[in-house]
Amino acid sequence: MAVCIAVIAKENYPLYIRSVPIQNELKFHYTVHTSLDVVEEKISAVGKAMADQRELYLGLLYPTEDYKVYGCVTNSKVKFVIVADSSNTSLRDNEIRSMFRKLHNSFTDVMCNPFYNPGDTIQSKAFDSMVSAMMVQAS
Amino acid sequence: MSPTQWDLPPELCCRPMAFVALTGLDVTYNAIHRAIWDAFCANRRADRVPISFKVLPGDHEYPKCRTKRTSYEWYIPKGILKTGWMNKHLNLVPALLVLFYELDWDDAVWKEKQSECATKVEIVRTSLQGRNTKVAVVLIQKKTPLPPGEDLVASERAASLCNACDLSGKSLFVLPHTDHLVGYIIRLENAFYEHAQTYYYTEIRRVKSHKEFLNKTTHQLLFVRHQFKIAFFSELKQDTQNSLKYYRTAYSLVHELRTHETNMLEIKTMAGFINYKICRLCFQHNTPLDAIAQFRKHIDLCKKKIGSAELAFEHTAWMSKQFQSFGDLFDEAIKLGLTAIQTQNPGFYYQQAAYYAQERKQQATHLCAHEASVSYPTPDHLETPSGALDFYGQRAWRQGHQSIDPPHMEKEKGGILALQMKEKDVPHSELIIALLSNAVAQFKKYKCPRMKSHLMVQMGEEYNHAKDYTKALKLLDYVMCDYRTERWWSLLTSILSTALRCSYLMAHIKDYITYSMELVGRASTLREEQKSRIEKNLIKVLMNEVPEAEPDCDQASAKAAQALWSDRMSLAGSNEFTIEVQDYVPFVQCKAKFLSPSFHVDDPVQLHVYLRADCPHPVRFSKLCVSLSNQEYNQLCVVEEPCKSQDILEASSQENMCLVPGKTRIYSFKFVAKTEDVGKKIEITAVDLMLGSDNGRCVFLNWRGGGGDAASSHEALLAARSFKSRGRVPEQHVEWDTVSIQASTMIISRIPKISVQLSHEPPALNNEMYRITVSIQSNEETVTKDVKLTAGLKPGQDANLTQSTHVTLNGLEMCDESHPALLPDIAIGDLQPGEKVEKCLYVRCVTTGARIFLFHVAYALSTKVEGKDITCRCHKDETVTIETVVPFEVAVKFVSTKFEHLDRVYVDIPFLLMTDILSASPWPLHLVTSQLQLAPTMAAMDQPQSQVEHVVLQTGECASECFSLQCPPVLNGTSSVASGQYLISWKRKSWCADAPVVTTVTTLPHVMVETIPLYVHAELPSFGRVRESMPVRYHIQNRTGLVQDVEMSVEPSDAFMFSGLKQVRLRILPGAEQEMLYNFYPLMAGYQNLPQLNISLLRFPAVSGQLLRRFLPSRIFVKVHLQCLAKARFVQYTTDCCPMDRVSHLSCRSLQFIQSDHGPLGCISDQSSPCMS
């Protein structure tokens, strides 16, 4: 389960960012923002080799003492970032992948909404509840 | 910084090297000894054996060796590792002791010297009592030794010396003091190194041998200690592989120790030491992943071992140090050639170290918040008798104590208090900033700009905590724009809030205003009430009052800041600020636009400035001015309203100078452009908005160009994509996002009301004076003055066209090269409304092809714009493309007098020149005349007269001429000669008589001229008659300087009888002419071949009869005899009209004739008709 989920636009500004409310929100924002360094690097490294065969899932971006940051980038260069607690060792790669898939599907739904402006922050309730389901439940 | 408690001891961090002590060297006063010592310690590069040398006096005292324990049964260890142990083996107890002694083999007083040496060895041995240190003796000799075995004295005396000193032969060395000192020294030290290795080997064996006496319950500490010692000795022995193995065992043993609060620090300290050694060796073995894995394991194992809660800061300090030293190791390894990657570089460890340092600081402030009355405990529990600890990681007040509970509760409390008091004095911020800047340097190296920015923000915040606001602002300012351009508003807001606090505490007015402006603007994610508070503060500053303190400022600093602000307020001057807001996201947005990308000079230029405030409260401004590239207009684009300073807050929404949040306000300006600016661009260079007032404090918000800020371009892009933009908006309401900036406009000339028409007859003919009639009609309502026409070839075309085009107004004479391609400014004068003027222009195009001609009519006109009289210049351009074609083609050919084609002509023999003029012009051409200008190598047979004079050629028609010519003799047999020129004078038929005649010159082709030795020509009547003799005279001319033998014969012919010499051979003198006369008697009518004349030249076999025959007629027309003709007519009549039997009485012969010559009858009747009549 994630502690922070973010959707980042192609131009690297946040479209959606949500973290577990109990903790320092700003810290997660910084974590997501700094992880973009790695995402950018990965995209540019792969871009040179084979742009079309690129896998969307970028895997573990970088480990910190407390969190693990995973990334995924769509073909239109929209990035998804999931931050998970390092102590949560039960979280496997497969689960992360399926979380990204869900996130991507839900994001696609948002994009399909004719009243959504590409580039605006996401305010969809459906997207919100999907994200909530993937977050660690603050108990 | 002085070493702190947490720094790793230097003896741990250095690379252990075998320790060899040298005695008997007097390096201060003895030059030879000095040289030897220098050779040992200078230039110790990697290729030399790792030994650390030290010169010690002969009577040096070495650390005492304690009596060896025989049993561990009752022994309870007091700690894991003594603090002095590593240093002892690195620097105090040598592995090998070398005694230097000056002694030559043939020394005079050998015996005495030998015993002195033995005494010295004995002294050294005694001081090393109990140690396994080896002793070696080096004899410093003046003489070069002989090869071993040859010097019998030497070997004998060496043996006796060994005996006297109780040395093995391997421990006695000779050092001849000669030229090759360094070479000898290197050999010596290799030998020393071997001895040292043996020493460490035995030490390892000795420590290992203790193991069997240990038991697991009481001697757990010793297991760790022994493993550490073995590992350390292995390192001294340079056996790093085994060393690593032993350290790893030691590491796992450390974690098997029973942990409790009293020994937690000791265990962590040792674990940290061993971990450091392991990581260091792993990096050294180039297995960085092992190092990282070990470090991760270490951190995971130790993370939770906090120890005493009252000293929690100690744990974080230790953790921070662990990360820092690993970062250092990593960095060092990189410097030695390891490659790191973006996600695994020392920066992360420094960052984590900084994070723990921050935590340490928090815990310290929390745990060390003693009341002022609490003073440092006396006696100082941290003092020890020796000034240092006996064992690593123990408490000063209970050294060697290993039980679970502290022995003295009082002492324990006092000790903890003392530690807490000491922690208070630690410069936490300094430590954190140092770590962060280390991390920044690393992340910069590994392409992590965002991580770098994040760390710089943390550094800025730390400086803020450390009250170094200037540095804090500098850092925050530096990174702010990164977050702004990436549009991470939440992060930007947080940074801005910190920056605002800093600038408040420093009473830095300009920064304070700048940050406030952005914080109340749309990019800020602050809550409404926060924004409202900041805006009120901002207004206070504008009114020259002291703003309220920012939240989260501590009391003391806030108070100091208040005082600073009051000082600032009382200071006069420096109350005007200009803030370039373009690169921020200020709370007032501005967009300026010209209503059109271009304005005619007779229309007023219109300019709108859109303003919008995003702050929570309405804001009032006192001046709005637009700066334009031509500053003369600036005064026309100002809105100003002096307001009293106290009015700022009570702004009403009705007023013009007040911006209501969320509403777009439009200010429109209108001015008349200057006529000098026609064709120029007018740009908005800046828009300035003045907030505040002159008597308070005023701030100019300055937008470069047409407004916009750091966020507006992206917003405009989004708005363009938005579905909302497609909806209709009410007329009055301006949708902010749809306003686009138009920062420049062109001033263009007034639309001309004049018509320019061209009439001409295309295409133009090459070289003619082509006439184009331009008619200009004024449709203006007033008089157009100073009308000028510029006409001719449009500039900017191929440069060759300029050379080959000439324009003139005078159509009566041909123009030449001196005429230009473009006639500028032909004065036409003034035109009344409706007046029309025509102008003829003549163009001569020397080459064919298309040309673009320009007709530019310019004039001045007075008009009134916005009540202002201006004189504007207008112009109208008309262009036309004209094709130039050749008027006709001229073809020339040479033919013989018999109209046969000639590829060469013969000297003095007449021939014909035929010219064909084929009209290619679409218009009828009038050929005025033609003229043949012959070259000196040609001569006309008669006066050549033009045969095509005044001929008119329609399209596609052809006019031909024929001239009879002859070539004078040429020098050598054959040569190519020029023929001359053919001139045709012509003009268009449609043009008037006085139009100039164009002369086209055609150069005639060259022709081959050949000299001929013999010329024959015949003189004969133009026709013959049947049975009427006709005389034929052949003239044979000898054209050579030789006598010619000519053989002539006439062949018989069916059609002729003839008289004359049938075959003759004659001789013709040079230049003479022979005449041969024949009488031909034609037998048949019609075209008949003449009897063939064969001539052969005996001297010139090349000149064949065939060639000569070309000069002679081959046929002649023979007419019917007159009597015969009458009969023939009759026959014709009868054959046409009567039955055949009626003709039977006609003479047979006549009939025959009629039948055979039926063909030419009709022809004859035509030709002879005048005779008949």
Side-chain angles (χ1 to χ4, degrees):
Chain A
M1 290 288 122
V3 288
C4 175
I5 289 176
V7 181
I8 311 294
K10 178 171 171 267
E11 297 88 355
N12 286 339
Y13 65 89
L15 291 175
Y16 182 91
I17 183 158
R18 185 143 161 229
S19 52
V20 199
I22 45 164
Q23 273 156 344
N24 184 0
E25 203 183 357
L26 205 59
K27 188 176 147 196
F28 284 118
H29 284 211
Y30 275 119
T31 308
V32 172
H33 185 243
T34 48
S35 73
L36 292 177
D37 281 336
V38 187
V39 174
E40 289 279 277
E41 186 71 17
K42 288 201 178 196
I43 292 173
S44 66
V46 174
K48 278 172 224 152
M50 31 187 173
D52 39 337
Q53 288 172 28
R54 182 164 56 84
E55 206 194 355
L56 302 180
Y57 179 54
L58 298 177
L60 181 65
L61 296 181
Y62 72 94
T64 64
E65 271 315 286
D66 312 314
Y67 303 107
K68 283 184 174 146
V69 187
Y70 297 90
C72 174
V73 57
T74 69
N75 287 319
S76 53
K77 299 268 193 309
V78 171
K79 293 117 189 158
F80 301 120
V81 176
I82 292 180
V83 184
D85 210 309
S86 275
S87 58
N88 190 350
T89 44
S90 60
L91 206 59
R92 282 195 311 273
D93 208 43
N94 260 351
E95 290 167 57
I96 297 288
R97 275 175 193 269
S98 84
M99 278 163 85
F100 275 125
R101 235 184 331 270
K102 268 197 227 162
L103 205 57
H104 197 168
N105 287 341
S106 195
F107 177 72
T108 317
D109 290 345
V110 171
M111 291 299 284
C112 292
N113 178 356
F115 296 105
Y116 172 74
N117 242 349
D120 279 356
T121 50
I122 297 170
Q123 275 152 345
S124 151
K125 274 183 193 156
F127 191 78
D128 223 29
S129 63
M130 190 275 315
V131 168
S132 301
M134 289 200 292
M135 299 277 267
V136 169
Q137 301 307 313
S139 52
Chain B
M1 252 191 282
S2 61
T4 65
Q5 182 195 353
W6 307 107
D7 285 334
L8 297 173
E11 56 265 32
L12 182 77
C13 304
C14 69
R15 180 190 170 196
M17 286 192 287
F19 175 39
V20 172
L22 311 177
T23 70
L25 284 178
D26 179 7
V27 296
T28 334
Y29 297 110
N30 191 323
I32 295 171
H33 292 188
R34 178 84 221 172
I36 292 169
W37 169 237
D38 283 346
F40 271 117
C41 55
N43 283 329
R44 290 215 69 87
R45 283 189 306 253
D47 55 334
R48 289 177 71 172
V49 285
I51 302 180
S52 79
F53 289 106
K54 230 179 222 180
V55 171
L56 295 173
D59 54 352
H60 179 78
E61 289 216 23
Y62 299 93
K64 285 276 177 309
C65 186
R66 267 182 296 125
T67 46
K68 293 281 177 281
R69 208 177 297 279
T70 46
S71 154
Y72 281 87
E73 213 161 310
W74 299 104
Y75 175 67
I76 295 172
K78 290 180 168 176
I80 301 175
L81 187 68
K82 286 220 170 155
T83 47
W85 188 83
M86 281 188 283
N87 188 42
K88 187 168 82 181
H89 286 278
L90 283 172
N91 297 317
L92 301 177
V93 178
L96 173 73
L97 198 136
V98 186
L99 177 72
F100 284 83
Y101 190 71
E102 283 188 42
L103 181 61
D104 276 274
W105 294 128
D106 52 353
D107 200 283
V109 281
W110 167 259
K111 277 275 179 223
E112 286 75 7
K113 291 252 172 139
Q114 179 180 312
S115 64
E116 192 194 337
C117 180
T119 322
K120 286 197 172 181
V121 170
E122 197 48 40
I123 294 170
V124 167
R125 283 239 171 86
T126 331
S127 61
L128 285 167
Q129 195 76 53
R131 298 273 175 211
N132 294 326
T133 306
K134 310 258 177 189
V135 177
V137 172
V138 176
L139 298 180
I140 304 172
Q141 297 190 334
K142 291 191 185 72
K143 287 180 188 151
T144 320
L146 293 166
E150 286 183 22
D151 194 348
L152 290 175
V153 180
S155 46
E156 182 211 318
R157 288 196 166 175
S160 99
L161 186 66
C162 283
N163 216 12
C165 301
D166 192 14
L167 281 174
S168 81
K170 281 185 181 171
S171 302
L172 179 68
F173 303 96
V174 169
L175 176 62
H177 180 63
T178 53
D179 299 340
H180 309 291
L181 185 63
V182 176
Y184 283 113
I185 295 289
I186 287 174
R187 276 166 68 183
L188 266 185
E189 67 183 27
N190 285 337
F192 294 168
Y193 183 60
E194 264 174 48
H195 280 292
Q197 286 209 316
T198 336
Y199 165 76
Y200 290 121
Y201 177 69
T202 51
E203 285 301 292
I204 292 167
R205 291 288 299 272
R206 193 175 56 79
V207 179
K208 273 187 181 169
S209 69
H210 299 326
K211 198 179 172 185
E212 49 194 294
F213 304 113
L214 306 180
N215 72 60
K216 288 223 165 165
T217 47
T218 48
H219 298 139
Q220 264 196 319
L221 297 178
L222 291 183
F223 279 107
V224 179
R225 184 192 294 172
H226 292 164
Q227 282 300 322
F228 184 85
K229 284 183 176 181
I230 295 167
F232 196 79
F233 281 131
S234 303
E235 244 189 309
L236 282 165
K237 198 178 157 235
Q238 307 303 324
D239 181 3
T240 51
Q241 293 293 353
N242 274 323
S243 168
L244 181 61
K245 200 177 82 193
Y246 295 126
Y247 278 129
R248 281 192 192 278
T249 330
Y251 188 80
S252 56
L253 285 171
V254 148
H255 283 289
E256 279 172 23
L257 293 176
R258 278 186 297 272
T259 55
H260 35 82
E261 237 179 67
T262 45
N263 72 350
M264 190 70 92
L265 183 63
E266 186 175 7
I267 288 171
K268 276 194 303 192
T269 308
M270 274 320 287
F273 284 6
I274 300 167
N275 172 66
Y276 180 83
K277 278 288 187 192
I278 295 172
C279 294
R280 196 188 154 89
L281 287 172
C282 286
F283 278 123
Q284 201 177 316
H285 292 160
N286 204 14
T287 50
L289 292 180
D290 287 356
I292 292 166
Q294 162 64 29
F295 183 72
R296 291 242 62 84
K297 192 174 105 191
H298 173 58
I299 291 303
D300 287 345
L301 283 170
C302 298
K303 210 184 336 191
K304 295 286 181 304
K305 296 191 174 169
I306 297 166
S308 160
E310 288 149 301
L311 296 172
F313 54 81
E314 283 194 331
H315 176 69
T316 43
W318 179 82
M319 285 294 274
S320 169
K321 201 73 209 174
Q322 296 303 304
F323 277 100
Q324 189 193 349
S325 45
F326 186 76
D328 287 340
L329 274 180
F330 200 166
D331 195 32
E332 210 171 295
I334 288 164
K335 280 180 192 143
L336 291 172
L338 184 74
T339 41
I341 53 167
Q342 192 192 34
T343 51
Q344 191 56 262
N345 69 59
F348 285 102
Y349 299 96
Y350 288 129
Q351 187 199 8
Q352 201 58 32
Y355 167 72
Y356 276 111
Q358 280 164 338
E359 202 161 307
R360 174 189 182 184
K361 182 181 147 194
Q362 276 171 12
Q363 286 168 339
T365 44
H366 179 67
L367 292 170
C368 309
H370 301 292
E371 284 164 34
S373 60
V374 179
S375 63
Y376 196 79
T378 45
D380 190 352
H381 295 290
L382 301 182
E383 292 269 298
T384 54
S386 63
L389 292 169
D390 287 346
F391 288 92
Y392 284 117
Q394 294 196 340
R395 298 295 182 196
W397 60 88
R398 46 171 167 83
Q399 289 199 67
H401 179 83
Q402 286 294 336
S403 62
I404 297 176
D405 293 316
H408 290 282
M409 282 319 281
E410 255 334 287
K411 269 195 178 180
E412 191 72 21
K413 272 187 187 160
I416 288 172
L417 182 61
L419 285 173
Q420 287 175 341
M421 297 297 254
K422 279 212 162 164
E423 182 70 13
K424 258 184 164 176
D425 301 334
V426 173
H428 287 115
S429 294
E430 225 172 277
L431 292 175
I432 296 166
I433 288 165
L435 287 170
L436 284 172
S437 67
N438 269 354
V440 165
Q442 293 292 338
F443 283 116
K444 201 169 169 181
K445 203 151 74 177
Y446 296 101
K447 286 191 234 159
C448 301
R450 293 178 187 87
M451 186 61 104
K452 192 185 115 197
S453 304
H454 175 40
L455 292 170
M456 284 171 82
V457 170
Q458 290 189 332
M459 275 171 86
E461 279 168 356
E462 205 51 55
Y463 273 122
N464 176 29
H465 290 149
K467 303 201 194 317
D468 190 345
Y469 304 120
T470 325
K471 278 189 182 156
L473 272 190
K474 204 171 166 190
L475 280 165
L476 294 177
D477 225 25
Y478 185 81
V479 293
M480 233 180 257
C481 70
D482 291 344
Y483 289 99
R484 201 179 287 120
T485 48
E486 290 230 298
R487 305 169 50 76
W488 278 76
W489 303 134
S490 56
L491 302 181
L492 179 66
T493 306
S494 132
I495 298 166
L496 279 170
S497 304
T498 314
L500 182 68
R501 203 176 311 135
C502 289
S503 58
Y504 169 75
L505 292 172
M506 282 200 297
H508 213 293
I509 300 170
K510 191 176 172 184
D511 286 345
Y512 187 84
I513 295 170
T514 316
Y515 300 137
S516 305
M517 267 181 357
E518 205 159 5
L519 275 173
V520 297
R522 64 197 194 284
S524 153
T525 55
L526 288 180
R527 287 191 313 278
E528 216 42 23
E529 65 260 28
Q530 295 269 27
K531 285 190 178 179
S532 160
R533 182 184 64 77
I534 293 169
E535 191 184 353
K536 278 180 185 149
N537 273 339
L538 178 62
I539 288 168
K540 273 191 179 176
V541 173
L542 290 178
M543 285 160 67
N544 210 4
E545 285 171 24
V546 179
E548 276 168 35
E550 288 300 306
D552 313 328
C553 288
D554 64 272
Q555 298 273 308
S557 338
K559 211 164 223 153
Q562 289 281 336
L564 269 177
W565 277 97
S566 318
D567 286 354
R568 289 283 147 86
M569 298 304 149
S570 55
L571 271 175
S574 77
N575 279 347
E576 216 179 277
F577 300 101
T578 303
I579 298 175
E580 298 234 351
V581 291
Q582 195 97 69
D583 304 324
Y584 303 107
V585 189
F587 71 113
V588 180
Q589 295 186 68
C590 164
K591 286 180 183 177
K593 71 184 276 192
F594 285 107
L595 292 196
S596 158
S598 62
F599 286 95
H600 292 290
V601 71
D602 56 338
D603 289 334
V605 177
Q606 292 188 57
L607 169 69
H608 281 183
V609 177
Y610 297 81
L611 289 179
R612 188 170 121 130
D614 305 308
C615 49
H617 303 293
V619 63
R620 177 185 250 262
F621 63 93
S622 36
K623 192 175 174 186
L624 169 70
C625 45
V626 183
S627 309
L628 296 155
S629 51
N630 186 341
Q631 292 173 358
E632 286 174 51
Y633 303 125
N634 287 2
Q635 56 192 356
L636 303 168
C637 304
V638 177
V639 189
E640 197 165 9
E641 185 182 278
C643 67
K644 291 158 220 96
S645 60
Q646 57 266 35
D647 287 351
I648 293 181
L649 278 176
E650 299 131 33
S652 76
S653 56
Q654 305 302 315
E655 276 182 88
N656 186 30
M657 309 293 277
C658 180
L659 302 175
V660 180
K663 287 252 168 65
T664 305
R665 209 169 250 290
I666 310 170
Y667 297 91
S668 53
F669 302 102
K670 210 184 217 184
F671 58 88
V672 180
K674 297 223 173 337
T675 43
E676 306 92 87
D677 277 345
V678 172
K680 286 186 192 155
K681 211 176 195 179
I682 298 185
E683 272 178 285
I684 301 174
T685 52
V687 180
D688 283 282
L689 184 72
M690 187 173 113
L691 299 176
S693 58
D694 294 325
N695 45 11
R697 171 171 281 126
C698 56
V699 175
F700 285 97
L701 304 189
N702 171 275
W703 284 270
R704 269 173 281 124
D709 51 43
S712 60
S713 62
H714 186 260
E715 281 162 358
L717 185 72
L718 279 191
R721 273 193 223 153
S722 170
F723 65 89
K724 287 177 201 142
S725 64
R726 289 178 200 120
R728 292 292 309 154
V729 282
E731 208 49 45
Q732 255 73 46
H733 184 70
V734 179
E735 190 70 41
W736 177 262
D737 288 331
T738 57
V739 177
S740 59
I741 295 169
Q742 168 85 46
S744 66
T745 190
M746 281 290 287
I747 301 300
I748 52 177
S749 54
R750 184 176 166 279
I751 300 170
K753 289 182 186 156
I754 197 160
S755 76
V756 177
Q757 278 178 342
L758 305 174
S759 62
H760 57 118
E761 297 173 325
L765 302 178
N766 202 2
N767 278 325
E768 76 168 329
M769 296 287 279
Y770 184 66
R771 186 176 63 201
I772 304 169
T773 312
V774 188
S775 50
I776 303 163
Q777 185 168 21
S778 161
N779 300 327
E780 296 284 356
E781 277 145 24
T782 51
V783 182
T784 57
K785 281 180 228 132
D786 200 14
V787 182
K788 277 180 181 154
L789 169 71
T790 298
L793 194 70
K794 192 178 177 195
Q797 298 182 75
D798 188 355
N800 292 335
L801 291 181
T802 322
Q803 305 293 321
S804 61
T805 311
H806 309 287
V807 180
T808 180
L809 289 175
N810 181 4
L812 294 180
E813 45 189 82
M814 288 303 285
C815 55
D816 50 25
E817 267 73 52
S818 62
H819 286 84
L822 180 74
L823 285 179
D825 295 333
I826 305 160
I828 307 260
D830 297 352
L831 282 183
Q832 295 300 322
E835 194 183 331
K836 188 172 177 178
V837 164
E838 278 200 1
K839 205 86 183 161
C840 278
L841 191 80
Y842 295 89
V843 179
R844 180 164 176 245
C845 303
V846 183
T847 56
T848 56
R851 287 172 175 76
I852 304 170
F853 287 91
L854 169 75
F855 298 88
H856 170 98
V857 181
Y859 62 95
L861 188 91
S862 304
T863 181
K864 225 177 173 76
V865 187
E866 300 272 303
K868 220 177 136 185
D869 279 317
I870 56 165
T871 306
C872 25
R873 294 209 59 87
C874 305
H875 62 86
K876 179 149 184 160
D877 285 358
E878 203 62 57
T879 56
V880 64
T881 305
I882 296 171
E883 190 82 32
T884 305
V885 297
V886 286
F888 45 74
E889 312 269 1
V890 179
V892 180
K893 60 186 181 204
F894 293 98
V895 292
S896 71
T897 43
K898 289 156 76 181
F899 292 98
E900 285 170 332
H901 175 76
L902 282 181
D903 50 359
R904 54 185 60 194
V905 298
Y906 298 99
V907 171
D908 283 342
I909 297 168
F911 61 91
L912 299 178
L913 173 78
M914 291 202 56
T915 59
D916 293 326
I917 304 166
L918 175 66
S919 166
S921 148
W923 306 96
L925 288 181
H926 177 195
L927 299 181
V928 177
T929 182
S930 72
Q931 194 191 345
L932 197 62
Q933 286 182 344
L934 289 172
T937 48
M938 288 278 170
M941 291 297 284
D942 47 8
Q943 200 62 41
Q945 253 193 346
S946 175
Q947 295 140 8
V948 294
E949 223 163 88
H950 298 300
V951 168
V952 173
L953 283 184
Q954 300 292 334
T955 313
E957 282 183 341
C958 182
S960 298
E961 279 191 281
C962 182
F963 302 98
S964 180
L965 304 176
Q966 178 178 326
C967 275
V970 287
L971 282 179
N972 43 4
T974 41
S975 67
S976 172
V977 297
S979 314
Q981 288 179 318
Y982 183 49
L983 277 63
I984 304 162
S985 303
W986 57 277
K987 63 184 180 183
R988 282 192 193 215
K989 184 171 187 290
S990 55
W991 287 357
C992 55
D994 54 355
V997 173
V998 188
T999 304
T1000 303
V1001 179
T1002 311
T1003 305
L1004 298 173
H1006 282 227
V1007 68
M1008 291 286 289
V1009 181
E1010 206 174 272
T1011 322
I1012 195 159
L1014 198 78
Y1015 177 57
V1016 183
H1017 68 102
E1019 206 180 283
L1020 75 171
S1022 52
F1023 62 90
R1025 259 182 218 285
V1026 176
R1027 277 181 280 150
E1028 238 176 56
S1029 148
M1030 60 176 190
V1032 174
R1033 226 180 280 272
Y1034 290 106
H1035 299 269
I1036 306 163
Q1037 288 174 6
N1038 178 6
R1039 294 224 166 147
T1040 62
L1042 302 167
V1043 177
Q1044 295 270 13
D1045 280 323
V1046 182
E1047 213 174 64
M1048 259 182 75
S1049 63
V1050 182
E1051 284 186 11
S1053 161
D1054 284 348
F1056 293 95
M1057 291 194 296
F1058 66 88
S1059 68
L1061 296 167
K1062 187 168 183 222
Q1063 185 165 19
V1064 71
R1065 191 173 181 165
L1066 38 98
R1067 184 168 283 186
I1068 309 172
L1069 293 174
E1073 185 185 287
Q1074 185 69 47
E1075 194 182 283
M1076 302 290 288
L1077 180 68
Y1078 291 92
N1079 271 318
F1080 286 169
Y1081 190 75
L1083 298 175
M1084 293 176 219
Y1087 279 111
Q1088 299 299 339
N1089 283 334
L1090 286 168
Q1092 196 172 313
L1093 183 72
N1094 289 331
I1095 301 169
S1096 64
L1097 298 180
L1098 299 179
R1099 280 177 193 273
F1100 296 91
V1103 182
S1104 65
Q1106 206 148 22
L1107 174 80
L1108 292 172
R1109 266 203 296 280
R1110 288 177 62 172
F1111 304 122
L1112 298 174
S1114 59
R1115 304 193 300 175
I1116 192 161
F1117 187 74
V1118 179
K1119 290 187 177 178
V1120 178
H1121 194 265
L1122 281 174
Q1123 292 168 358
C1124 226
L1125 186 74
K1127 278 181 192 164
R1129 296 258 153 178
F1130 171 72
V1131 171
Q1132 188 186 18
Y1133 172 76
T1134 48
T1135 46
D1136 287 348
C1137 314
C1138 314
M1140 198 55 201
D1141 50 346
R1142 296 259 186 103
V1143 202
S1144 58
H1145 66 275
L1146 284 170
S1147 76
C1148 251
R1149 230 172 64 192
S1150 310
L1151 198 63
Q1152 261 174 350
F1153 163 75
I1154 290 166
Q1155 277 173 341
S1156 61
D1157 288 70
H1158 205 266
L1161 255 178
C1163 186
I1164 292 166
S1165 63
D1166 272 342
Q1167 277 192 353
S1168 54
S1169 51
C1171 312
M1172 291 295 285
S1173 55

